[in-house]
């Protein structure tokens, strides 16, 4: 009788533990999903990503070796300090494109960055780079308190409007029309390297939808011309993107097509 009771109690505890773990998984915040559990500051201290809760979060892609970054960073430092002095619910997360960890640390301390960063050796750092498909630095993206992308042009907004832009970020609302692409493409795409990419990169852009396949002769003739056109548009401005709807029979064939034609 006693043995049966203990066995029943053990089963109940296991079920409770599984239920708790499942709840923990469900309740994982977007901040933790995107940045991981730990961030670091310019003093080398470890901070929890939970410190980003209920805040508008800007993501700063930058590197010390990049002259435009070194020109913009002091301006962003001043911008961030002014908002913090006003006790605004705002934080910046730095994504370093530096060549090594020491360069990243030096960059943060030399410029007195008042914000947080994903640790250099964290896989989350490269995951965020791939997810947002940043083509140049410095780049500043802004997410609202729900983790929705509300600005991909924040560098220019900060430069032109200063701290006044924060009020606009706070009021920004994402409507179903703003994220129309999720209805057709879901929440993620893939690139020629097989990396998952957020469909949010399509926000506010003109989007071309290309139906094609590697086995199609006319497609193979046209694709190089479309690649040239796409690359030329990217150099002129960043408001155009193409989404491939591939008619190949396997994922491997599609990836090979994208990679070989440098899509």
């Amino acid at each position: 009788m006693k043995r049966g009771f203990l066995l029943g109690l053990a089963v109940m505890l296991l079920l409770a533990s599984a239920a708790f773990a499942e709840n923990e998984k469900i309740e994982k915040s977007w901040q933790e999903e995107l940045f991981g559990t730990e961030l670091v500051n310019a003093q080398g201290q470890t901070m929890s990503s939970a410190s980003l809760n209920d805040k508008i979060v800007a993501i700063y892609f930058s590197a010390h070796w990049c002259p435009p970054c070194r020109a913009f960073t002091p301006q962003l430092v001043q911008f961030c300090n002014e908002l913090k002095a006003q006790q605004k619910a705002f934080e910046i997360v730095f994504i370093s494109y530096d060549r090594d960890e020491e360069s990243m640390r030096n960059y943060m301390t030399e410029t007195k960055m008042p914000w947080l960063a994903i640790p250099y050796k964290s896989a989350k750092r490269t995951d965020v780079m791939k997810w947002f498909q940043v083509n140049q630095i410095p780049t500043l993206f802004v997410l609202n308190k729900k983790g929705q992308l509300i600005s991909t042009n924040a560098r220019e907004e900060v430069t032109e409007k200063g701290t006044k832009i924060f009020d606009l970020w706070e009021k920004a609302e994402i409507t179903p029309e703003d994220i129309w692409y999720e209805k057709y493409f879901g929440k993620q795409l893939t690139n020629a390297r097989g990396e998952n990419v957020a469909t949010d990169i399509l926000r506010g852009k003109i989007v071309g939808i290309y139906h094609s396949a590697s086995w199609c002769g006319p497609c193979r003739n046209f694709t190089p011309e479309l690649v040239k056109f796409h690359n030329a548009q990217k150099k002129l401005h960043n408001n155009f993107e193409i989404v491939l709807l591939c008619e190949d029979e396997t994922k491997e064939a599609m990836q090979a097509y994208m990679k070989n034609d440098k899509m």
Side-chain angles (χ1 to χ4, degrees), residues 9-22:
L9 180 61
V11 171
M12 289 175 65
L13 287 173
L14 284 172
L15 290 173
S17 176
F20 178 78
E22 185 64 24

Side-chain angles (χ1 to χ4, degrees), residues 38-246:
E38 294 183 347
L39 301 169
V40 295
N41 61 20
Q43 292 73 45
Q45 299 168 323
T46 299
M47 309 290 287
S48 170
S49 59
S51 64
L52 304 176
N53 292 349
D54 297 319
K55 292 182 180 180
I56 290 175
V57 178
I59 308 177
Y60 185 40
F61 302 87
S62 183
H64 185 268
W65 53 260
C66 162
C69 298
R70 293 198 303 272
F72 176 65
T73 296
Q75 184 178 356
L76 188 60
V77 167
Q78 182 180 349
F79 173 85
C80 185
N81 285 335
E82 288 179 3
L83 287 181
K84 289 194 174 187
Q86 297 172 28
Q87 297 184 332
K88 298 292 187 181
F90 177 71
E91 189 55 86
I92 296 175
V93 176
F94 172 43
I95 309 297
S96 174
Y97 275 70
D98 288 293
R99 297 186 175 96
D100 53 60
E101 187 175 10
E102 184 178 1
S103 297
M104 171 184 159
R105 287 199 303 267
N106 291 340
Y107 186 25
M108 294 182 73
T109 55
E110 286 174 12
T111 55
K112 299 180 181 179
M113 293 183 182
W115 50 71
L116 304 174
I118 295 183
Y120 190 85
K121 293 181 180 179
S122 171
K124 286 292 185 180
R125 184 177 68 90
T126 52
D127 287 346
V128 173
M129 292 177 179
K130 295 171 184 176
W131 186 246
F132 288 106
Q133 290 290 284
V134 173
N135 297 314
Q136 61 182 12
I137 55 174
T139 289
L140 188 68
F141 286 174
V142 180
L143 309 178
N144 65 15
K145 294 179 182 181
K146 296 179 181 179
Q148 297 170 314
L149 185 65
I150 57 175
S151 177
T152 59
N153 198 37
R155 175 190 172 193
E156 287 73 15
E157 292 173 338
V158 169
T159 300
E160 294 172 4
K161 300 180 180 179
T163 54
K164 293 180 181 179
I165 190 60
F166 183 80
D167 293 333
L168 297 178
W169 290 342
E170 274 195 314
K171 296 174 184 176
E173 295 184 3
I174 305 300
T175 67
E177 289 76 18
D178 293 325
I179 53 175
W180 61 267
Y181 43 80
E182 286 190 1
K183 177 180 179 181
Y184 300 100
F185 309 128
K187 291 184 178 292
Q188 68 182 34
L189 302 168
T190 187
N191 61 19
R193 295 181 294 276
E195 300 162 345
N196 291 331
V197 179
T199 49
D200 272 338
I201 65 170
L202 303 177
R203 176 89 51 80
K205 294 182 179 180
I206 297 171
V207 178
I209 302 176
Y210 183 39
H211 293 263
S212 185
S214 61
W215 48 260
C216 166
C219 297
R220 291 199 304 272
N221 290 332
F222 176 66
T223 297
E225 295 300 319
L226 186 59
V227 168
K228 290 179 183 178
F229 174 80
H230 176 264
N231 291 340
Q233 292 300 312
K234 283 281 190 179
K235 289 181 180 179
L236 292 173
H237 37 68
N238 197 34
N239 67 344
F240 177 69
E241 192 54 80
I242 294 175
V243 175
L244 171 67
L245 295 187
C246 190

